[in-house]
Amino acid sequence: AMAFIIRSALVKNRSLWLPGLSAVRAVSSPGGPTPPFTTLSVSQPATAVTHIELHRPEKRNAMNKAFWREMVECFTQIAEDPDCRVVVVSGAGDVFTAGIDLMDMASEVLQPEGDDMARTSWNMRRIIAKYQETFSVIERCPKPVVVAVQGACVGGGVDLITACDIRLCTQDAWFQVKEVDIGLAADVGTLQRLPKVIGSRSLVNELALTARKMYADEAKESGLVSRVFPDKEAMLAGALEMAGEIAGRSPVAVQGTKVNLIYSRDHSVAEGLNYMATWNMSMLQTEDVMKSAAASMEKKSPKTITFSKL
Ligand SMILES: CC/C=C\C=C\CC(=O)SCCNC(=O)CCNC(=O)[C@H](O)C(C)(C)COP(=O)(O)OP(=O)(O)OC[C@H]1O[C@@H](n2cnc3c(N)ncnc32)[C@H](O)[C@@H]1OP(=O)(O)O
């Protein structure tokens, strides 16, 4: 069904999927990952919308070494791609992700190299920082990222989704901060970001300390996700519709909103206001304000406006 939705959108936007310059603008290969990626299928299902699908369904989209590297490469390209204004992330198959690839993990994470403890620790620190970067690039990307979760979202999956801007899930979704079960404290974002996503500190602590599963209804009630869909097909349609709403608006306004929301999350109100004033002293001079205001006066949707690329 997803392939059908994407194919229909591509037919409508034929000019967008003619061979592009970068991998992120390539059409999703129906059979699997989009070269040069080996774990991600990347496509442009609608104007200015990039869809990234975690694509190792036979291994439940477990995050192997290539994945940790490819996400950074992919988001680095997307951040600079003026033809992308919003990103949808989803997982191929019935499961969003099984988290870190436990078979792949042993070689790097559990056996850092070094001649003595200091050097081994220093190398370990670099490895952890590299893994953290895989999800920090999502947060740093100025384009909003909508993530759509079906089935299991385990361990590294929670790290990933908490770095995204909007979280959607299916009724069969479940979330698990699994790390304590495999003997480690979650170290690539969950412990830092989940408390800022979910209001209840007690719930965060409970989830992280017990590794219990949280199902869709509780995820909605707690604020981890904003919408729950009956199934994956409905969720992906909803994610693409939402992405279309975002992509149709001024990229100056949208990207400024994402950047300032994240800045404000991590700073005092006074600091956030100061940052905002500095941001908008230049960004308010955009032609997008006049165009959008005029459309609003004429009771037209901002989606009827053609905004310059950013
Ligand atoms: C620096 C550190 C950075 C990050 C750290 C992150 C920590 C974590 O992510 S902790 C979480 C680790 N993940 C797990 O413990 C989950 C393990 N998997 C499962 O519980 C289940 O697979 C499932 C996700 C609930 C899905 O169940 P099901 O649909 O029944 O599939 P399976 O038959 O179990 O698996 C199918 C196939 O996938 C392989 N696989 C599944 N998970 C992983 C994994 N995490 N790593 C590697 N491979 C995985 C499984 O072995 C099967 O492979 P076959 O070849 O078909 O046997």
Side-chain angles (χ1 to χ4, degrees), residues 58-60 62-63 68 95 97-103 105 109 127-128 131 152 154-157 159 174 178-179 182 184 187-188:
E58 70 290 352
K59 297 289 181 191
R60 305 302 182 262
M63 301 164 166
W68 294 96
V95 162
T97 177
I100 196 166
D101 189 316
L102 296 168
M103 306 304 286
M105 178 186 177
V109 180
I127 291 167
I128 295 168
Y131 277 65
V154 184
D159 294 282
W174 52 272
K178 177 82 172 162
E179 280 82 347
I182 63 162
L184 54 99
D187 57 1
V188 290

PDB file of all heavy atoms in Angstrom, residues 58-60 62-63 68 95 97-103 105 109 127-128 131 152 154-157 159 174 178-179 182 184 187-188, ligand 1:
ATOM      1  N   GLU A  58      14.083  -7.764   7.372  1.00  0.00           N
ATOM      2  CA  GLU A  58      14.348  -9.167   7.754  1.00  0.00           C
ATOM      3  C   GLU A  58      15.058  -9.234   9.100  1.00  0.00           C
ATOM      4  O   GLU A  58      15.007 -10.247   9.788  1.00  0.00           O
ATOM      5  CB  GLU A  58      15.127  -9.898   6.651  1.00  0.00           C
ATOM      6  CG  GLU A  58      16.583  -9.498   6.441  1.00  0.00           C
ATOM      7  CD  GLU A  58      16.807  -8.100   5.837  1.00  0.00           C
ATOM      8  OE1 GLU A  58      15.826  -7.452   5.415  1.00  0.00           O
ATOM      9  OE2 GLU A  58      17.975  -7.652   5.797  1.00  0.00           O
ATOM     10  N   LYS A  59      15.706  -8.144   9.499  1.00  0.00           N
ATOM     11  CA  LYS A  59      16.361  -8.058  10.819  1.00  0.00           C
ATOM     12  C   LYS A  59      15.638  -7.040  11.687  1.00  0.00           C
ATOM     13  O   LYS A  59      16.210  -6.463  12.607  1.00  0.00           O
ATOM     14  CB  LYS A  59      17.834  -7.660  10.665  1.00  0.00           C
ATOM     15  CG  LYS A  59      18.677  -8.671   9.900  1.00  0.00           C
ATOM     16  CD  LYS A  59      18.906  -9.940  10.709  1.00  0.00           C
ATOM     17  CE  LYS A  59      19.770 -10.935   9.948  1.00  0.00           C
ATOM     18  NZ  LYS A  59      19.793 -12.256  10.593  1.00  0.00           N
ATOM     19  N   ARG A  60      14.395  -6.803  11.388  1.00  0.00           N
ATOM     20  CA  ARG A  60      13.536  -5.887  12.151  1.00  0.00           C
ATOM     21  C   ARG A  60      14.173  -4.496  12.249  1.00  0.00           C
ATOM     22  O   ARG A  60      14.099  -3.821  13.274  1.00  0.00           O
ATOM     23  CB  ARG A  60      13.217  -6.437  13.543  1.00  0.00           C
ATOM     24  CG  ARG A  60      12.591  -7.832  13.531  1.00  0.00           C
ATOM     25  CD  ARG A  60      11.300  -7.890  12.723  1.00  0.00           C
ATOM     26  NE  ARG A  60      10.699  -9.224  12.766  1.00  0.00           N
ATOM     27  CZ  ARG A  60      10.845 -10.145  11.797  1.00  0.00           C
ATOM     28  NH1 ARG A  60      11.546  -9.866  10.707  1.00  0.00           N
ATOM     29  NH2 ARG A  60      10.255 -11.315  11.901  1.00  0.00           N
ATOM     30  N   ALA A  62      17.074  -3.605  12.655  1.00  0.00           N
ATOM     31  CA  ALA A  62      18.102  -3.448  13.695  1.00  0.00           C
ATOM     32  C   ALA A  62      19.217  -2.565  13.145  1.00  0.00           C
ATOM     33  O   ALA A  62      19.544  -2.594  11.959  1.00  0.00           O
ATOM     34  CB  ALA A  62      18.650  -4.820  14.103  1.00  0.00           C
ATOM     35  N   MET A  63      19.774  -1.760  14.045  1.00  0.00           N
ATOM     36  CA  MET A  63      20.702  -0.698  13.632  1.00  0.00           C
ATOM     37  C   MET A  63      22.135  -1.224  13.592  1.00  0.00           C
ATOM     38  O   MET A  63      22.826  -1.266  14.612  1.00  0.00           O
ATOM     39  CB  MET A  63      20.580   0.457  14.631  1.00  0.00           C
ATOM     40  CG  MET A  63      19.170   1.028  14.697  1.00  0.00           C
ATOM     41  SD  MET A  63      18.943   2.032  16.184  1.00  0.00           S
ATOM     42  CE  MET A  63      17.410   2.875  15.786  1.00  0.00           C
ATOM     43  N   TRP A  68      24.291   3.396  11.437  1.00  0.00           N
ATOM     44  CA  TRP A  68      24.720   4.533  12.275  1.00  0.00           C
ATOM     45  C   TRP A  68      25.446   5.570  11.424  1.00  0.00           C
ATOM     46  O   TRP A  68      25.337   6.767  11.660  1.00  0.00           O
ATOM     47  CB  TRP A  68      25.615   4.029  13.426  1.00  0.00           C
ATOM     48  CG  TRP A  68      24.864   3.158  14.395  1.00  0.00           C
ATOM     49  CD1 TRP A  68      24.809   1.798  14.391  1.00  0.00           C
ATOM     50  CD2 TRP A  68      24.035   3.577  15.500  1.00  0.00           C
ATOM     51  NE1 TRP A  68      24.005   1.356  15.419  1.00  0.00           N
ATOM     52  CE2 TRP A  68      23.527   2.411  16.117  1.00  0.00           C
ATOM     53  CE3 TRP A  68      23.688   4.820  16.028  1.00  0.00           C
ATOM     54  CZ2 TRP A  68      22.677   2.454  17.224  1.00  0.00           C
ATOM     55  CZ3 TRP A  68      22.855   4.867  17.137  1.00  0.00           C
ATOM     56  CH2 TRP A  68      22.350   3.691  17.721  1.00  0.00           C
ATOM     57  N   VAL A  95       7.743  -3.957  12.008  1.00  0.00           N
ATOM     58  CA  VAL A  95       8.383  -3.451  13.223  1.00  0.00           C
ATOM     59  C   VAL A  95       9.149  -2.188  12.867  1.00  0.00           C
ATOM     60  O   VAL A  95       9.885  -2.166  11.877  1.00  0.00           O
ATOM     61  CB  VAL A  95       9.347  -4.549  13.765  1.00  0.00           C
ATOM     62  CG1 VAL A  95      10.353  -3.990  14.742  1.00  0.00           C
ATOM     63  CG2 VAL A  95       8.553  -5.689  14.398  1.00  0.00           C
ATOM     64  N   THR A  97      11.719  -0.610  14.674  1.00  0.00           N
ATOM     65  CA  THR A  97      13.113  -1.042  14.809  1.00  0.00           C
ATOM     66  C   THR A  97      13.310  -1.857  16.086  1.00  0.00           C
ATOM     67  O   THR A  97      12.700  -1.578  17.120  1.00  0.00           O
ATOM     68  CB  THR A  97      14.107   0.133  14.792  1.00  0.00           C
ATOM     69  OG1 THR A  97      15.443  -0.385  15.003  1.00  0.00           O
ATOM     70  CG2 THR A  97      13.839   1.157  15.864  1.00  0.00           C
ATOM     71  N   ALA A  98      14.216  -2.839  15.982  1.00  0.00           N
ATOM     72  CA  ALA A  98      14.610  -3.660  17.140  1.00  0.00           C
ATOM     73  C   ALA A  98      15.772  -3.027  17.890  1.00  0.00           C
ATOM     74  O   ALA A  98      16.367  -3.668  18.754  1.00  0.00           O
ATOM     75  CB  ALA A  98      14.984  -5.058  16.673  1.00  0.00           C
ATOM     76  N   GLY A  99      16.146  -1.779  17.532  1.00  0.00           N
ATOM     77  CA  GLY A  99      17.241  -1.104  18.234  1.00  0.00           C
ATOM     78  C   GLY A  99      18.589  -1.521  17.694  1.00  0.00           C
ATOM     79  O   GLY A  99      18.702  -2.010  16.553  1.00  0.00           O
ATOM     80  N   ILE A 100      19.592  -1.346  18.511  1.00  0.00           N
ATOM     81  CA  ILE A 100      20.955  -1.616  18.035  1.00  0.00           C
ATOM     82  C   ILE A 100      21.071  -3.077  17.597  1.00  0.00           C
ATOM     83  O   ILE A 100      20.442  -3.970  18.191  1.00  0.00           O
ATOM     84  CB  ILE A 100      22.012  -1.277  19.114  1.00  0.00           C
ATOM     85  CG1 ILE A 100      23.398  -1.175  18.483  1.00  0.00           C
ATOM     86  CG2 ILE A 100      21.990  -2.288  20.254  1.00  0.00           C
ATOM     87  CD1 ILE A 100      24.433  -0.521  19.374  1.00  0.00           C
ATOM     88  N   ASP A 101      21.844  -3.302  16.538  1.00  0.00           N
ATOM     89  CA  ASP A 101      22.069  -4.663  16.064  1.00  0.00           C
ATOM     90  C   ASP A 101      22.996  -5.360  17.047  1.00  0.00           C
ATOM     91  O   ASP A 101      24.201  -5.053  17.122  1.00  0.00           O
ATOM     92  CB  ASP A 101      22.692  -4.622  14.654  1.00  0.00           C
ATOM     93  CG  ASP A 101      22.753  -6.001  14.033  1.00  0.00           C
ATOM     94  OD1 ASP A 101      23.147  -6.958  14.743  1.00  0.00           O
ATOM     95  OD2 ASP A 101      22.413  -6.132  12.847  1.00  0.00           O
ATOM     96  N   LEU A 102      22.445  -6.278  17.785  1.00  0.00           N
ATOM     97  CA  LEU A 102      23.201  -6.913  18.865  1.00  0.00           C
ATOM     98  C   LEU A 102      24.322  -7.796  18.325  1.00  0.00           C
ATOM     99  O   LEU A 102      25.305  -8.044  19.021  1.00  0.00           O
ATOM    100  CB  LEU A 102      22.256  -7.719  19.764  1.00  0.00           C
ATOM    101  CG  LEU A 102      21.215  -6.866  20.514  1.00  0.00           C
ATOM    102  CD1 LEU A 102      20.149  -7.740  21.151  1.00  0.00           C
ATOM    103  CD2 LEU A 102      21.883  -5.983  21.558  1.00  0.00           C
ATOM    104  N   MET A 103      24.198  -8.249  17.091  1.00  0.00           N
ATOM    105  CA  MET A 103      25.255  -9.073  16.500  1.00  0.00           C
ATOM    106  C   MET A 103      26.432  -8.190  16.065  1.00  0.00           C
ATOM    107  O   MET A 103      27.587  -8.579  16.161  1.00  0.00           O
ATOM    108  CB  MET A 103      24.735  -9.836  15.271  1.00  0.00           C
ATOM    109  CG  MET A 103      23.488 -10.655  15.533  1.00  0.00           C
ATOM    110  SD  MET A 103      23.695 -11.828  16.871  1.00  0.00           S
ATOM    111  CE  MET A 103      24.721 -13.052  16.095  1.00  0.00           C
ATOM    112  N   MET A 105      27.079  -5.157  17.292  1.00  0.00           N
ATOM    113  CA  MET A 105      27.513  -4.287  18.374  1.00  0.00           C
ATOM    114  C   MET A 105      28.814  -4.780  19.006  1.00  0.00           C
ATOM    115  O   MET A 105      29.708  -4.000  19.351  1.00  0.00           O
ATOM    116  CB  MET A 105      26.402  -4.269  19.420  1.00  0.00           C
ATOM    117  CG  MET A 105      26.650  -3.476  20.650  1.00  0.00           C
ATOM    118  SD  MET A 105      25.234  -3.790  21.751  1.00  0.00           S
ATOM    119  CE  MET A 105      25.736  -2.863  23.175  1.00  0.00           C
ATOM    120  N   VAL A 109      31.423  -1.701  19.849  1.00  0.00           N
ATOM    121  CA  VAL A 109      31.061  -1.098  21.129  1.00  0.00           C
ATOM    122  C   VAL A 109      31.653  -1.870  22.309  1.00  0.00           C
ATOM    123  O   VAL A 109      32.077  -1.280  23.296  1.00  0.00           O
ATOM    124  CB  VAL A 109      29.523  -1.006  21.266  1.00  0.00           C
ATOM    125  CG1 VAL A 109      29.139  -0.390  22.596  1.00  0.00           C
ATOM    126  CG2 VAL A 109      28.936  -0.209  20.114  1.00  0.00           C
ATOM    127  N   ILE A 127      33.760   6.570  20.086  1.00  0.00           N
ATOM    128  CA  ILE A 127      32.741   5.689  19.491  1.00  0.00           C
ATOM    129  C   ILE A 127      31.347   6.115  19.959  1.00  0.00           C
ATOM    130  O   ILE A 127      30.418   6.241  19.157  1.00  0.00           O
ATOM    131  CB  ILE A 127      33.017   4.212  19.874  1.00  0.00           C
ATOM    132  CG1 ILE A 127      34.292   3.729  19.183  1.00  0.00           C
ATOM    133  CG2 ILE A 127      31.836   3.321  19.523  1.00  0.00           C
ATOM    134  CD1 ILE A 127      34.826   2.411  19.720  1.00  0.00           C
ATOM    135  N   ILE A 128      31.218   6.366  21.266  1.00  0.00           N
ATOM    136  CA  ILE A 128      29.893   6.763  21.789  1.00  0.00           C
ATOM    137  C   ILE A 128      29.457   8.093  21.166  1.00  0.00           C
ATOM    138  O   ILE A 128      28.304   8.251  20.750  1.00  0.00           O
ATOM    139  CB  ILE A 128      29.918   6.860  23.330  1.00  0.00           C
ATOM    140  CG1 ILE A 128      30.168   5.477  23.935  1.00  0.00           C
ATOM    141  CG2 ILE A 128      28.606   7.446  23.861  1.00  0.00           C
ATOM    142  CD1 ILE A 128      30.503   5.485  25.413  1.00  0.00           C
ATOM    143  N   TYR A 131      28.129   7.503  17.764  1.00  0.00           N
ATOM    144  CA  TYR A 131      26.776   6.933  17.800  1.00  0.00           C
ATOM    145  C   TYR A 131      25.751   8.013  18.173  1.00  0.00           C
ATOM    146  O   TYR A 131      24.657   8.064  17.623  1.00  0.00           O
ATOM    147  CB  TYR A 131      26.711   5.758  18.783  1.00  0.00           C
ATOM    148  CG  TYR A 131      27.197   4.448  18.200  1.00  0.00           C
ATOM    149  CD1 TYR A 131      28.523   4.280  17.824  1.00  0.00           C
ATOM    150  CD2 TYR A 131      26.332   3.386  18.005  1.00  0.00           C
ATOM    151  CE1 TYR A 131      28.982   3.076  17.280  1.00  0.00           C
ATOM    152  CE2 TYR A 131      26.775   2.182  17.465  1.00  0.00           C
ATOM    153  CZ  TYR A 131      28.112   2.037  17.107  1.00  0.00           C
ATOM    154  OH  TYR A 131      28.548   0.860  16.559  1.00  0.00           O
ATOM    155  N   ALA A 152       7.169  -2.790  17.173  1.00  0.00           N
ATOM    156  CA  ALA A 152       8.169  -2.513  18.217  1.00  0.00           C
ATOM    157  C   ALA A 152       9.035  -1.302  17.901  1.00  0.00           C
ATOM    158  O   ALA A 152       9.415  -1.075  16.753  1.00  0.00           O
ATOM    159  CB  ALA A 152       9.060  -3.744  18.368  1.00  0.00           C
ATOM    160  N   VAL A 154      12.297  -0.283  19.924  1.00  0.00           N
ATOM    161  CA  VAL A 154      13.071  -0.769  21.068  1.00  0.00           C
ATOM    162  C   VAL A 154      14.418  -0.056  21.160  1.00  0.00           C
ATOM    163  O   VAL A 154      15.056   0.221  20.129  1.00  0.00           O
ATOM    164  CB  VAL A 154      13.324  -2.296  20.913  1.00  0.00           C
ATOM    165  CG1 VAL A 154      14.049  -2.850  22.131  1.00  0.00           C
ATOM    166  CG2 VAL A 154      12.023  -3.050  20.683  1.00  0.00           C
ATOM    167  N   GLY A 155      14.877   0.192  22.374  1.00  0.00           N
ATOM    168  CA  GLY A 155      16.239   0.687  22.607  1.00  0.00           C
ATOM    169  C   GLY A 155      16.584   1.900  21.768  1.00  0.00           C
ATOM    170  O   GLY A 155      16.017   2.985  21.946  1.00  0.00           O
ATOM    171  N   GLY A 156      17.513   1.708  20.837  1.00  0.00           N
ATOM    172  CA  GLY A 156      17.941   2.798  19.959  1.00  0.00           C
ATOM    173  C   GLY A 156      16.780   3.447  19.222  1.00  0.00           C
ATOM    174  O   GLY A 156      16.878   4.608  18.800  1.00  0.00           O
ATOM    175  N   GLY A 157      15.678   2.718  19.062  1.00  0.00           N
ATOM    176  CA  GLY A 157      14.498   3.291  18.408  1.00  0.00           C
ATOM    177  C   GLY A 157      13.934   4.457  19.205  1.00  0.00           C
ATOM    178  O   GLY A 157      13.493   5.465  18.640  1.00  0.00           O
ATOM    179  N   ASP A 159      15.720   6.296  21.269  1.00  0.00           N
ATOM    180  CA  ASP A 159      16.699   7.380  21.084  1.00  0.00           C
ATOM    181  C   ASP A 159      16.387   8.138  19.791  1.00  0.00           C
ATOM    182  O   ASP A 159      16.425   9.368  19.749  1.00  0.00           O
ATOM    183  CB  ASP A 159      18.121   6.806  20.985  1.00  0.00           C
ATOM    184  CG  ASP A 159      18.590   6.149  22.276  1.00  0.00           C
ATOM    185  OD1 ASP A 159      18.964   6.881  23.200  1.00  0.00           O
ATOM    186  OD2 ASP A 159      18.579   4.910  22.350  1.00  0.00           O
ATOM    187  N   TRP A 174       4.544  -0.375  20.253  1.00  0.00           N
ATOM    188  CA  TRP A 174       5.003  -0.348  21.641  1.00  0.00           C
ATOM    189  C   TRP A 174       6.439   0.160  21.695  1.00  0.00           C
ATOM    190  O   TRP A 174       7.208   0.023  20.748  1.00  0.00           O
ATOM    191  CB  TRP A 174       4.846  -1.684  22.357  1.00  0.00           C
ATOM    192  CG  TRP A 174       5.410  -2.900  21.690  1.00  0.00           C
ATOM    193  CD1 TRP A 174       4.782  -3.703  20.778  1.00  0.00           C
ATOM    194  CD2 TRP A 174       6.723  -3.461  21.871  1.00  0.00           C
ATOM    195  NE1 TRP A 174       5.614  -4.723  20.382  1.00  0.00           N
ATOM    196  CE2 TRP A 174       6.809  -4.617  21.045  1.00  0.00           C
ATOM    197  CE3 TRP A 174       7.819  -3.136  22.655  1.00  0.00           C
ATOM    198  CZ2 TRP A 174       7.943  -5.425  20.974  1.00  0.00           C
ATOM    199  CZ3 TRP A 174       8.964  -3.935  22.598  1.00  0.00           C
ATOM    200  CH2 TRP A 174       9.009  -5.061  21.764  1.00  0.00           C
ATOM    201  N   LYS A 178      15.036  -0.226  26.433  1.00  0.00           N
ATOM    202  CA  LYS A 178      15.450  -1.604  26.716  1.00  0.00           C
ATOM    203  C   LYS A 178      16.849  -1.703  27.330  1.00  0.00           C
ATOM    204  O   LYS A 178      17.261  -2.773  27.802  1.00  0.00           O
ATOM    205  CB  LYS A 178      15.400  -2.346  25.368  1.00  0.00           C
ATOM    206  CG  LYS A 178      15.839  -3.773  25.339  1.00  0.00           C
ATOM    207  CD  LYS A 178      14.753  -4.712  25.780  1.00  0.00           C
ATOM    208  CE  LYS A 178      15.170  -6.157  25.560  1.00  0.00           C
ATOM    209  NZ  LYS A 178      14.341  -7.075  26.346  1.00  0.00           N
ATOM    210  N   GLU A 179      17.580  -0.591  27.329  1.00  0.00           N
ATOM    211  CA  GLU A 179      19.014  -0.657  27.601  1.00  0.00           C
ATOM    212  C   GLU A 179      19.381  -1.348  28.914  1.00  0.00           C
ATOM    213  O   GLU A 179      20.342  -2.107  28.960  1.00  0.00           O
ATOM    214  CB  GLU A 179      19.615   0.754  27.554  1.00  0.00           C
ATOM    215  CG  GLU A 179      19.889   1.259  26.134  1.00  0.00           C
ATOM    216  CD  GLU A 179      18.674   1.839  25.431  1.00  0.00           C
ATOM    217  OE1 GLU A 179      17.533   1.651  25.911  1.00  0.00           O
ATOM    218  OE2 GLU A 179      18.859   2.491  24.388  1.00  0.00           O
ATOM    219  N   ILE A 182      19.998  -4.926  28.694  1.00  0.00           N
ATOM    220  CA  ILE A 182      21.215  -5.469  28.083  1.00  0.00           C
ATOM    221  C   ILE A 182      22.459  -4.915  28.788  1.00  0.00           C
ATOM    222  O   ILE A 182      23.570  -4.943  28.238  1.00  0.00           O
ATOM    223  CB  ILE A 182      21.260  -5.245  26.554  1.00  0.00           C
ATOM    224  CG1 ILE A 182      21.287  -3.768  26.177  1.00  0.00           C
ATOM    225  CG2 ILE A 182      20.105  -5.928  25.860  1.00  0.00           C
ATOM    226  CD1 ILE A 182      21.771  -3.549  24.737  1.00  0.00           C
ATOM    227  N   LEU A 184      23.267  -1.776  30.048  1.00  0.00           N
ATOM    228  CA  LEU A 184      23.868  -0.451  29.877  1.00  0.00           C
ATOM    229  C   LEU A 184      22.851   0.644  30.147  1.00  0.00           C
ATOM    230  O   LEU A 184      21.641   0.413  30.119  1.00  0.00           O
ATOM    231  CB  LEU A 184      24.487  -0.300  28.485  1.00  0.00           C
ATOM    232  CG  LEU A 184      23.650  -0.577  27.246  1.00  0.00           C
ATOM    233  CD1 LEU A 184      23.124   0.710  26.647  1.00  0.00           C
ATOM    234  CD2 LEU A 184      24.497  -1.283  26.210  1.00  0.00           C
ATOM    235  N   ASP A 187      22.589   5.591  26.056  1.00  0.00           N
ATOM    236  CA  ASP A 187      23.583   6.670  25.944  1.00  0.00           C
ATOM    237  C   ASP A 187      23.564   7.428  24.635  1.00  0.00           C
ATOM    238  O   ASP A 187      24.486   8.173  24.345  1.00  0.00           O
ATOM    239  CB  ASP A 187      24.991   6.129  26.219  1.00  0.00           C
ATOM    240  CG  ASP A 187      25.373   4.988  25.285  1.00  0.00           C
ATOM    241  OD1 ASP A 187      24.563   4.644  24.421  1.00  0.00           O
ATOM    242  OD2 ASP A 187      26.488   4.458  25.432  1.00  0.00           O
ATOM    243  N   VAL A 188      22.508   7.267  23.833  1.00  0.00           N
ATOM    244  CA  VAL A 188      22.503   8.054  22.601  1.00  0.00           C
ATOM    245  C   VAL A 188      21.271   8.963  22.498  1.00  0.00           C
ATOM    246  O   VAL A 188      20.803   9.260  21.422  1.00  0.00           O
ATOM    247  CB  VAL A 188      22.677   7.170  21.339  1.00  0.00           C
ATOM    248  CG1 VAL A 188      24.095   6.621  21.274  1.00  0.00           C
ATOM    249  CG2 VAL A 188      21.680   6.031  21.289  1.00  0.00           C
TER     250      VAL A 188
HETATM  251  C1  LIG B   1      26.608   2.958  21.832  1.00  0.00           C
HETATM  252  C2  LIG B   1      25.309   2.237  21.970  1.00  0.00           C
HETATM  253  C3  LIG B   1      24.290   2.798  21.123  1.00  0.00           C
HETATM  254  C4  LIG B   1      23.012   2.406  21.128  1.00  0.00           C
HETATM  255  C5  LIG B   1      22.475   1.431  22.014  1.00  0.00           C
HETATM  256  C6  LIG B   1      21.211   1.000  21.906  1.00  0.00           C
HETATM  257  C7  LIG B   1      20.707  -0.032  22.830  1.00  0.00           C
HETATM  258  C8  LIG B   1      19.553  -0.817  22.310  1.00  0.00           C
HETATM  259  O1  LIG B   1      19.079  -0.662  21.231  1.00  0.00           O
HETATM  260  S1  LIG B   1      18.981  -1.982  23.415  1.00  0.00           S
HETATM  261  C9  LIG B   1      17.811  -2.892  22.476  1.00  0.00           C
HETATM  262  C10 LIG B   1      18.408  -4.066  21.756  1.00  0.00           C
HETATM  263  N1  LIG B   1      17.340  -4.761  21.087  1.00  0.00           N
HETATM  264  C11 LIG B   1      16.705  -5.813  21.589  1.00  0.00           C
HETATM  265  O2  LIG B   1      17.010  -6.310  22.644  1.00  0.00           O
HETATM  266  C12 LIG B   1      15.534  -6.313  20.761  1.00  0.00           C
HETATM  267  C13 LIG B   1      15.778  -7.707  20.257  1.00  0.00           C
HETATM  268  N2  LIG B   1      14.725  -8.098  19.328  1.00  0.00           N
HETATM  269  C14 LIG B   1      13.468  -8.420  19.702  1.00  0.00           C
HETATM  270  O3  LIG B   1      13.095  -8.356  20.842  1.00  0.00           O
HETATM  271  C15 LIG B   1      12.551  -8.906  18.614  1.00  0.00           C
HETATM  272  O4  LIG B   1      13.303  -9.195  17.489  1.00  0.00           O
HETATM  273  C16 LIG B   1      11.425  -7.919  18.225  1.00  0.00           C
HETATM  274  C17 LIG B   1      11.966  -6.545  17.932  1.00  0.00           C
HETATM  275  C18 LIG B   1      10.399  -7.845  19.350  1.00  0.00           C
HETATM  276  C19 LIG B   1      10.721  -8.439  16.955  1.00  0.00           C
HETATM  277  O5  LIG B   1      10.288  -9.768  17.164  1.00  0.00           O
HETATM  278  P1  LIG B   1       9.937 -10.713  15.908  1.00  0.00           P
HETATM  279  O6  LIG B   1       9.114  -9.943  14.951  1.00  0.00           O
HETATM  280  O7  LIG B   1       9.397 -11.959  16.482  1.00  0.00           O
HETATM  281  O8  LIG B   1      11.325 -10.979  15.165  1.00  0.00           O
HETATM  282  P2  LIG B   1      12.485 -12.019  15.559  1.00  0.00           P
HETATM  283  O9  LIG B   1      12.113 -13.368  15.049  1.00  0.00           O
HETATM  284  O10 LIG B   1      12.839 -11.892  16.962  1.00  0.00           O
HETATM  285  O11 LIG B   1      13.743 -11.454  14.702  1.00  0.00           O
HETATM  286  C20 LIG B   1      13.742 -11.554  13.309  1.00  0.00           C
HETATM  287  C21 LIG B   1      15.176 -11.479  12.856  1.00  0.00           C
HETATM  288  O12 LIG B   1      15.728 -10.219  13.263  1.00  0.00           O
HETATM  289  C22 LIG B   1      16.885 -10.426  14.076  1.00  0.00           C
HETATM  290  N3  LIG B   1      16.946  -9.391  15.102  1.00  0.00           N
HETATM  291  C23 LIG B   1      15.933  -8.893  15.837  1.00  0.00           C
HETATM  292  N4  LIG B   1      16.372  -7.964  16.674  1.00  0.00           N
HETATM  293  C24 LIG B   1      17.707  -7.863  16.473  1.00  0.00           C
HETATM  294  C25 LIG B   1      18.734  -7.042  17.040  1.00  0.00           C
HETATM  295  N5  LIG B   1      18.459  -6.106  17.959  1.00  0.00           N
HETATM  296  N6  LIG B   1      19.985  -7.212  16.598  1.00  0.00           N
HETATM  297  C26 LIG B   1      20.281  -8.098  15.645  1.00  0.00           C
HETATM  298  N7  LIG B   1      19.339  -8.907  15.038  1.00  0.00           N
HETATM  299  C27 LIG B   1      18.075  -8.767  15.466  1.00  0.00           C
HETATM  300  C28 LIG B   1      16.664 -11.813  14.677  1.00  0.00           C
HETATM  301  O13 LIG B   1      17.880 -12.335  15.095  1.00  0.00           O
HETATM  302  C29 LIG B   1      16.048 -12.535  13.507  1.00  0.00           C
HETATM  303  O14 LIG B   1      17.088 -12.836  12.595  1.00  0.00           O
HETATM  304  P3  LIG B   1      17.136 -14.283  11.893  1.00  0.00           P
HETATM  305  O15 LIG B   1      18.348 -14.235  11.031  1.00  0.00           O
HETATM  306  O16 LIG B   1      15.863 -14.400  11.124  1.00  0.00           O
HETATM  307  O17 LIG B   1      17.239 -15.291  12.991  1.00  0.00           O
END
